[in-house]
Amino acid sequence: SNSRQIVNAQMDLNEDNIDEYVYNVWNGDGNDGRGSYYLWEYVWFKMQETFNKSSECDIIIMTDGYNTYRTGHSATSYQGVNGLNKLMENLKLNQDKLCRTFIYCVSPECKHEQAKNYLDLTIPTGGFACDASNFNDCTQILVSSHGERAEWSMDAKQEHVRAVEDGKIEAIGWFDYDACNILKGSQ
């Protein structure tokens, strides 16, 4: 089923045409007339305008890794990679579902400096972070159905739990380890 597919699977996405079919079509203008927001702050405000708390959601970001802001307007807690933590904390406090978050780093700077951190933060959401080195994984996410992304989400969360249990990474405050362990026990 093509339920809630992000990009039509009939499109043969590749590094030569992704600009035409995705980058140039998607726009996240973080300027509200008073100034610009950090990336994750922009996502938070947009979700407040349009998000239905009872529904599952996917956040798909393609970024060069740079944040824009206007001092005094943007909250610095949303700055940089850690802004994803702030977004997830706000969703949890607001009793919203935590969205599967997929990040595609499109610049060498993003890949080099931030990709590992983004990967550690997106996996607990049930998402993934990628760059040109794993382009096919990125495009698979774009053409997959909602059901496929939901299935991958459970695998990613379990991967995160195992990494925490093995001491490879630290636990994250906004992640519900109890619920994930209950799901793990029922499999």
Side-chain angles (χ1 to χ4, degrees):
S1 165
N2 293 334
S3 169
R4 292 181 14 191
Q5 196 173 44
I6 299 160
V7 174
N8 186 323
Q10 303 305 314
M11 251 181 234
D12 184 23
L13 284 181
N14 59 57
E15 292 180 53
D16 296 327
N17 69 12
I18 196 164
D19 283 349
E20 178 183 348
Y21 292 119
V22 179
Y23 302 153
N24 296 337
V25 177
W26 294 6
N27 178 18
D29 182 7
N31 190 323
D32 70 352
R34 295 178 293 163
S36 295
Y37 294 105
Y38 287 113
L39 169 67
W40 299 110
E41 184 178 32
Y42 172 75
V43 172
W44 170 246
F45 287 126
K46 284 297 181 185
M47 288 181 71
Q48 296 309 296
E49 293 173 7
T50 60
F51 185 58
N52 176 348
K53 287 184 185 188
S54 65
S55 66
E56 289 186 34
C57 62
D58 294 302
I59 298 172
I60 299 173
I61 301 288
M62 297 190 178
T63 182
D64 59 10
Y66 297 103
N67 283 290
T68 58
Y69 67 96
R70 183 177 139 228
T71 305
H73 181 63
S74 249
T76 57
S77 55
Y78 286 100
Q79 185 176 7
V81 175
N82 289 326
L84 176 55
N85 274 328
K86 180 66 174 170
L87 173 65
M88 292 300 155
E89 288 167 6
N90 281 349
L91 288 171
K92 186 174 182 176
L93 287 172
N94 205 35
Q95 299 180 346
D96 288 333
K97 291 189 183 245
L98 300 181
C99 300
R100 289 181 294 268
T101 304
F102 301 96
I103 300 172
Y104 183 29
C105 288
V106 298
S107 73
E109 294 81 9
C110 181
K111 176 184 176 183
H112 177 71
E113 296 179 18
Q114 300 175 341
K116 171 75 169 84
N117 293 326
Y118 273 141
L119 189 59
D120 288 346
L121 292 173
T122 56
I123 286 179
T125 71
F128 189 65
C130 49
D131 56 52
S133 68
N134 51 359
F135 180 82
N136 289 334
D137 293 333
C138 296
T139 57
Q140 186 59 40
I141 291 163
L142 294 174
V143 299
S144 64
S145 69
H146 172 261
E148 290 168 322
R149 291 190 307 276
E151 186 175 318
W152 295 334
S153 174
M154 290 308 305
D155 293 340
K157 290 176 181 180
Q158 293 301 329
E159 179 182 333
H160 172 75
V161 169
R162 283 189 300 276
V164 170
E165 289 172 345
D166 294 343
K168 294 178 182 175
I169 59 175
E170 291 185 26
I172 296 174
W174 46 262
F175 185 79
D176 190 350
Y177 292 93
D178 291 334
C180 202
N181 282 327
I182 290 168
L183 292 171
K184 187 168 125 179
S186 67
Q187 293 181 350

